[in-house]
Amino acid sequence: MDSGVIYMSVLPTEKDFIRVFSNVFRLKNKPLLSGSEFDDCAALRLDSFSQNLFADSLTFSTDTVRESTDFPAGMTLWQRGWMTAAVNLSDLAAMGSKPVAFLFSAGLPRGFTLKDAEEFAQGIQDCVSFFGGEVIGGDTEFNEEFTITGTVIGISDNKNLILRKNAQPGDLLCVTGFTGSAGVALSVMLNKIRVPASNRFLKNIIEPFPRIFEGMMLAQSGAVNSMIDTSDGLASSVYELSALSGVFFEIDERSLPLEDEALSILSTSLKNELNGEQIGAKAQSLLVHEALYTGGDYELLFTIPQDKLSLVEELFQTLNTTAAMRFGSLSSAGKSGRSPCKFTVIGKAIAEKENVIITQSGSGEQRLPLLKMGYDSFTKYI
Amino acid sequence: MDSGVIYMSVLPTEKDFIRVFSNVFRLKNKPLLSGSEFDDCAALRLDSFSQNLFADSLTFSTDTVRESTDFPAGMTLWQRGWMTAAVNLSDLAAMGSKPVAFLFSAGLPRGFTLKDAEEFAQGIQDCVSFFGGEVIGGDTEFNEEFTITGTVIGISDNKNLILRKNAQPGDLLCVTGFTGSAGVALSVMLNKIRVPASNRFLKNIIEPFPRIFEGMMLAQSGAVNSMIDTSDGLASSVYELSALSGVFFEIDERSLPLEDEALSILSTSLKNELNGEQIGAKAQSLLVHEALYTGGDYELLFTIPQDKLSLVEELFQTLNTTAAMRFGSLSSAGKSGRSPCKFTVIGKAIAEKENVIITQSGSGEQRLPLLKMGYDSFTKYI
C-alpha cells in the first residue's frame, strides 16, 4: 500500500490549472449562478433561456480532439483551444442552433505549464465568445496524450430546428464556403505536399470557422429542409442526408466550390511529374477528390426547395455585408484571413435510386455512382 | 498524398458503433426532439423543464475516465459504462441536482467489437436511467486507450442549489456511507493487498453509487449549508469547503464511518508482520488514512446547523425505508450488494484557524493539523 508515502511535487496541481482556466473564462453572464471553479457543477438559470425569443429547445453535442489525430505539428496552443471549441460549435451550426454555453474536460500532458493552460484556454474563450457562447465549466486531469472533449449547449426555436431527415425530392443541394481546401491544407501541414501555402489558407484546417451565423440565419429563414456539416467529408454527408431523408442526390463536380490557392498548391506539387496541360486537369481531379472524400472542411451542406434560392441568396448577401464588422471583434489571433462566406448550389435531389457524381468526360459528361467514403477514425478508409 | 489509395476494412465503423449505442439508449422521453443518432445534436424541449416544479436552473458537469487510471484490471465493460456515468452523476449529487440527461464521447481501442459496445452502453444506460436521467447523445472515435468523457445535465430549484461556499460557524460536518472503503478495495484490486474481498465490497470502487437521491433530499430539506463530494478524498473536500466558506473544521477520527470488511482486510494483510494487539490499532490507523487522503469513495460531505440534525436523521430514515424498493428496479448487474445509505456526523466547524484532526492518544486525545492531501492526477501526491 502507498499509505504514508508522500511524494512532494512542485508540478502544477489540478486546482492550479482550474484557477488559470477560470481566470480566462471570467463569467459575465447573469444566468450563471455558480461557475464550476468553485462547485461540482456549473448552473444556468432556465429563465435566461425562456426570455430569449429564439429559444424553446436546448441542443447538445459533444466531441473529442487529441494530439495524434487532430493537431498537426506546429499548431499553437491557442489554435488547439480554438479548434476544440470550433469542432463542437460546428455541430450546433448544422442544427441552426445558437451557442449558449461550453464545457470541456482536458487531459493535459507531462510538462504542460500554467502559461500553456492560459494560452489554450484563451483559444477556447475567443472562439466560444465570438460565436455568442460562454465557457461555463472545465475539468482537467493528467493524460499522456493531450486530449480534450468539449460539450456545447445551444438554444433553438423548436419549429426551426433543421434535421437531416427532411430533404425533399427536387431540393437544391448547397454548400457553404470552399470544399477540399482542408484536405489540401492538411497535406501541406503533414509535408505530404512540399509546397508553401499562405497562413490564411492553412487556417482552414487549424482554425476551422464554424458556420454558426450562417446556420442560425438558414434556420430562421424557414427555407431549408435539411442540413448537416461536412466534417467527415462531403460524400459522407450526402449519404447521411440521403439515408435519413429517403431521397438521392446528384452532384455536378464542375460546380464544386474549389479554392484557387488549393488548385495552385496541387499544380505546383505536380510540376515535376507532368507537363503543362496535364497538370491543370490532374490538379482539378485531385482537388475534387479531396472535396468529396476528405474531412475537415466544417462547411454546412443543406437542401432548399428551388423556389427559395433567391431568398437564400439575399440572406447570404445581407449576412456578408455585416461580416467585416463581426470579424472586427475577433481577437488579433483569430482575425487574419477571415472572409465572408458564400454558398454554392452543387447538385439536387433526384429520382434515381443512388447518389451520383456528374463528371466532365471529353466533350460530354458522365454520371458515376458517388463513392460512400469519408473520414472514419476506426477504419481510416481514406 | 493518399488520394486514390483506399484501404478496405471489415472493422466496425463509427456509424456501426453509433447504431449499437442508439439501440441501447432507446429514447422514451417526450422532451427529446431528435437524438444524436440521426443529427449533429440532441435536442430537449425547454418546456419539459419548466413543467417540473423542482427546476428553475440547469446544472452541468463533465468528467473523463480512462483505462490506465480509472479502470482496474478485471472490470467488465458493463462496469466501465456504469462508472463513466456514476462519476459524472456524483457531481450533480453534490449540488443536490436531479439528473435529466447524459452525453458521452467514447474513445474505443483497437479490437473493440459491436458486442463490447453494447455491454458498455448498457452499463451507462442502467446507471443513468436508475437515477432518473436519459442518455441523449454519444459520439465515438478510435483511441489507443479506452477513454470516455461524460457530460451530465441536471435540474435544480435555484434557491435549493447547495454550493460549497456557505458552510457556517458551528455547522456539523457530516458524510454519507463509509469512508476509506474505496481505497482498500482499490489496493485489493491492484494486488497491493493479497487478501480476498467480497464482490459486494469491491463494488465500492468499481461500481460507485452516486448519492443522487440523498443529494436531492438534502437540497429540498433546506437544512444543508454546504456540500461537496469526496471523490478526491475527504481531507481534500474539507479543505475545499473551508477555503470557499472561510470557516475551519475539526474531524474526530474516532467518528469516521469505517466499514468492518475494510478493517478486516487490512487486519488480515498485517498478520505476518504484527501481533494481535498491534494489528487492530495499525489496521484502524491505515483505514483512517485511506478515509482521509484517498479518493474514490464518492460520498457526500455536507454541513448542517446543529438544530437541523434531527430533521436530517428523519429524512435519511424515510429515504432508506424506500431504498429497498428503489434497488429492486436496478438491473441484476447493478443490484447485488446495494444497501441503504446512512450518514455520520464526523466533526464541526470551529473557531480555530486551521483544519484539525482529533486522534486518540493513549488515554487522552490529540489535536493535529489535517493534512492538505488527496488525489490529484497531475502530482499523484498520495
Side-chain angles (χ1 to χ4, degrees):
Chain A
M1 289 185 59
D2 284 341
S3 305
V5 182
I6 302 167
Y7 300 100
M8 294 304 287
S9 171
V10 292
L11 293 174
T13 66
E14 188 176 317
K15 287 187 179 50
D16 293 330
F17 283 119
I18 288 181
R19 208 164 299 125
V20 169
F21 288 150
S22 301
N23 196 39
V24 174
F25 307 134
R26 267 173 299 251
L27 299 161
K28 300 155 229 157
N29 217 350
K30 291 237 179 74
L32 197 95
L33 288 171
S34 172
S36 58
E37 175 185 7
F38 299 128
D39 283 287
D40 296 83
C41 302
L44 290 172
R45 289 184 62 103
L46 268 170
D47 56 11
S48 68
F49 298 119
S50 44
Q51 281 161 10
N52 191 319
L53 293 178
F54 177 66
D56 58 18
S57 286
L58 291 176
T59 52
F60 300 93
S61 189
T62 183
D63 210 353
T64 298
V65 288
R66 60 193 180 98
E67 184 77 26
S68 61
T69 52
D70 300 281
F71 298 145
M75 273 180 80
T76 66
L77 285 161
W78 183 93
Q79 287 170 330
R80 289 160 198 235
W82 177 283
M83 180 186 267
T84 301
V87 302
N88 276 282
L89 288 169
S90 185
D91 285 325
L92 282 196
M95 301 280 276
S97 198
K98 176 176 159 55
V100 173
F102 185 78
L103 299 96
F104 66 94
S105 180
L108 305 180
R110 214 173 304 282
F112 208 82
T113 66
L114 295 178
K115 195 163 165 35
D116 291 341
E118 190 177 7
E119 185 187 338
F120 168 67
Q122 194 62 51
I124 293 181
Q125 169 69 17
D126 285 355
C127 185
V128 172
S129 70
F130 179 69
F131 291 103
E134 186 124 8
V135 183
I136 60 168
D139 175 58
T140 182
E141 58 273 331
F142 170 75
N143 196 325
E144 288 78 16
E145 182 178 7
F146 194 27
T147 307
I148 311 104
T149 301
T151 302
V152 68
I153 299 130
I155 47 176
S156 273
D157 190 348
N158 180 3
K159 68 176 190 301
N160 290 340
L161 262 183
I162 310 183
L163 308 181
R164 296 177 180 176
K165 67 178 181 191
N166 293 329
Q168 303 296 320
D171 271 4
L172 298 176
L173 184 67
C174 310
V175 71
T176 57
F178 292 110
T179 57
S181 295
V184 175
L186 183 62
S187 295
V188 171
M189 291 201 76
L190 298 180
N191 282 320
K192 291 181 177 178
I193 299 180
R194 295 175 188 278
V195 174
S198 67
N199 285 335
R200 188 202 56 75
F201 183 75
L202 296 179
K203 273 178 186 274
N204 287 322
I205 189 83
I206 55 182
E207 295 175 27
F209 206 71
R211 299 304 188 186
I212 288 289
F213 302 119
E214 293 77 9
M216 286 170 61
M217 176 188 75
L218 289 169
Q220 288 171 293
S221 74
V224 178
N225 284 332
S226 64
M227 188 152 68
I228 188 173
D229 81 359
T230 64
S231 53
D232 293 336
L234 186 54
S236 172
S237 299
V238 166
Y239 268 90
E240 277 294 296
L241 293 184
S242 177
L244 291 169
S245 298
V247 300
F248 293 88
F249 296 95
E250 63 174 34
I251 298 178
D252 189 329
E253 73 165 32
R254 296 161 298 191
S255 66
L256 288 174
L258 307 179
E259 198 169 359
D260 288 343
E261 185 168 350
L263 272 173
S264 136
I265 288 169
L266 291 173
S267 297
T268 308
S269 77
L270 294 166
K271 262 188 189 151
N272 293 334
E273 301 171 39
L274 302 172
N275 64 34
E277 200 172 310
Q278 289 172 313
I279 286 176
K282 180 67 178 170
Q284 175 96 12
S285 142
L286 284 174
L287 187 50
V288 165
H289 193 277
E290 294 287 347
L292 293 173
Y293 303 118
T294 306
D297 277 327
Y298 294 98
E299 299 295 344
L300 294 178
L301 183 73
F302 57 97
T303 77
I304 55 174
Q306 306 220 14
D307 62 8
K308 291 288 174 25
L309 180 58
S310 57
L311 168 64
V312 173
E313 281 169 345
E314 276 167 40
L315 289 172
F316 266 85
Q317 268 174 12
T318 310
L319 190 70
N320 284 336
T321 53
T322 60
M325 196 175 68
R326 284 205 317 275
F327 296 143
S329 75
L330 272 173
S331 72
S332 58
K335 195 180 317 197
S336 70
R338 299 299 179 195
S339 51
C341 170
K342 57 178 191 135
F343 82 101
T344 309
V345 179
I346 60 169
K348 59 173 190 277
I350 52 176
E352 283 158 79
K353 289 293 173 212
E354 63 176 349
N355 294 310
V356 166
I357 179 86
I358 304 172
T359 60
Q360 182 72 32
S361 169
S363 58
E365 59 180 43
Q366 231 182 335
R367 295 175 69 82
L368 299 169
L370 182 68
L371 298 180
K372 190 175 181 178
M373 198 167 79
Y375 179 75
D376 182 293
S377 69
F378 289 99
T379 59
K380 293 207 184 288
Y381 50 66
I382 191 162
Chain B
M1 289 184 60
D2 284 343
S3 306
V5 182
I6 302 168
Y7 301 99
M8 295 303 288
S9 170
V10 291
L11 293 174
T13 66
E14 187 176 318
K15 287 188 177 50
D16 293 330
F17 283 118
I18 288 181
R19 208 165 297 124
V20 169
F21 287 150
S22 300
N23 196 39
V24 174
F25 308 133
R26 266 172 300 249
L27 299 161
K28 300 154 230 157
N29 216 351
K30 292 235 177 79
L32 197 93
L33 288 171
S34 171
S36 58
E37 176 184 8
F38 298 130
D39 284 286
D40 296 82
C41 302
L44 291 171
R45 289 184 62 105
L46 269 171
D47 56 10
S48 67
F49 298 118
S50 44
Q51 280 160 12
N52 191 319
L53 292 180
F54 179 65
D56 57 19
S57 286
L58 291 175
T59 52
F60 300 94
S61 189
T62 184
D63 210 352
T64 299
V65 286
R66 60 195 181 97
E67 185 76 26
S68 61
T69 53
D70 301 281
F71 298 146
M75 274 180 77
T76 67
L77 285 161
W78 183 93
Q79 288 170 329
R80 289 161 198 237
W82 177 283
M83 180 186 268
T84 301
V87 301
N88 276 281
L89 288 169
S90 184
D91 285 325
L92 281 196
M95 301 279 277
S97 198
K98 177 177 158 58
V100 173
F102 185 79
L103 299 97
F104 66 94
S105 180
L108 305 179
R110 217 174 302 282
F112 208 82
T113 66
L114 295 178
K115 194 160 165 36
D116 291 340
E118 189 177 7
E119 186 187 338
F120 168 67
Q122 194 63 51
I124 293 181
Q125 169 69 18
D126 285 356
C127 185
V128 172
S129 71
F130 178 69
F131 291 102
E134 186 123 8
V135 184
I136 60 169
D139 176 59
T140 182
E141 53 269 315
F142 169 75
N143 195 325
E144 289 78 16
E145 182 178 7
F146 192 28
T147 307
I148 313 105
T149 301
T151 302
V152 68
I153 299 130
I155 46 175
S156 274
D157 190 346
N158 179 3
K159 69 176 188 302
N160 290 340
L161 262 183
I162 310 183
L163 309 182
R164 296 178 180 176
K165 68 176 179 190
N166 293 329
Q168 302 297 318
D171 270 6
L172 298 175
L173 183 67
C174 311
V175 71
T176 57
F178 292 110
T179 56
S181 295
V184 176
L186 183 62
S187 294
V188 171
M189 292 200 77
L190 298 179
N191 282 320
K192 291 182 178 178
I193 299 180
R194 295 174 188 279
V195 174
S198 67
N199 285 336
R200 187 202 56 75
F201 182 74
L202 295 178
K203 273 179 185 273
N204 286 321
I205 189 83
I206 55 183
E207 295 176 27
F209 205 70
R211 300 303 188 188
I212 288 289
F213 302 120
E214 292 77 9
M216 286 169 60
M217 176 188 76
L218 289 169
Q220 287 170 295
S221 74
V224 177
N225 284 331
S226 65
M227 189 152 68
I228 188 174
D229 80 0
T230 64
S231 54
D232 293 336
L234 187 53
S236 172
S237 299
V238 166
Y239 268 91
E240 278 293 297
L241 294 184
S242 178
L244 292 169
S245 298
V247 300
F248 294 88
F249 296 94
E250 63 174 33
I251 299 178
D252 189 330
E253 75 165 32
R254 295 161 298 190
S255 65
L256 289 173
L258 307 179
E259 199 168 0
D260 288 342
E261 185 168 350
L263 271 173
S264 136
I265 288 169
L266 291 173
S267 297
T268 309
S269 77
L270 293 167
K271 263 188 188 152
N272 293 336
E273 301 170 40
L274 302 173
N275 64 36
E277 199 173 309
Q278 290 173 312
I279 288 176
K282 180 68 177 170
Q284 176 95 11
S285 142
L286 285 175
L287 187 50
V288 165
H289 193 278
E290 295 287 347
L292 294 174
Y293 304 118
T294 308
D297 277 326
Y298 293 100
E299 299 295 345
L300 294 178
L301 182 72
F302 57 97
T303 77
I304 56 173
Q306 305 220 14
D307 62 7
K308 293 287 173 25
L309 180 58
S310 56
L311 167 65
V312 173
E313 280 168 346
E314 276 167 39
L315 288 172
F316 266 85
Q317 268 175 11
T318 312
L319 190 70
N320 284 335
T321 55
T322 59
M325 196 176 69
R326 284 204 319 274
F327 296 144
S329 74
L330 272 174
S331 72
S332 58
K335 195 178 324 196
S336 70
R338 298 299 179 195
S339 52
C341 170
K342 57 177 190 132
F343 82 101
T344 309
V345 178
I346 59 168
K348 57 173 190 279
I350 52 174
E352 281 159 80
K353 289 292 174 212
E354 64 176 347
N355 292 310
V356 166
I357 178 87
I358 303 172
T359 61
Q360 182 74 31
S361 168
S363 58
E365 60 180 42
Q366 233 183 332
R367 296 174 69 82
L368 299 170
L370 182 68
L371 298 180
K372 190 173 180 179
M373 199 167 77
Y375 180 75
D376 182 295
S377 69
F378 289 99
T379 58
K380 292 208 185 285
Y381 51 65
I382 193 160

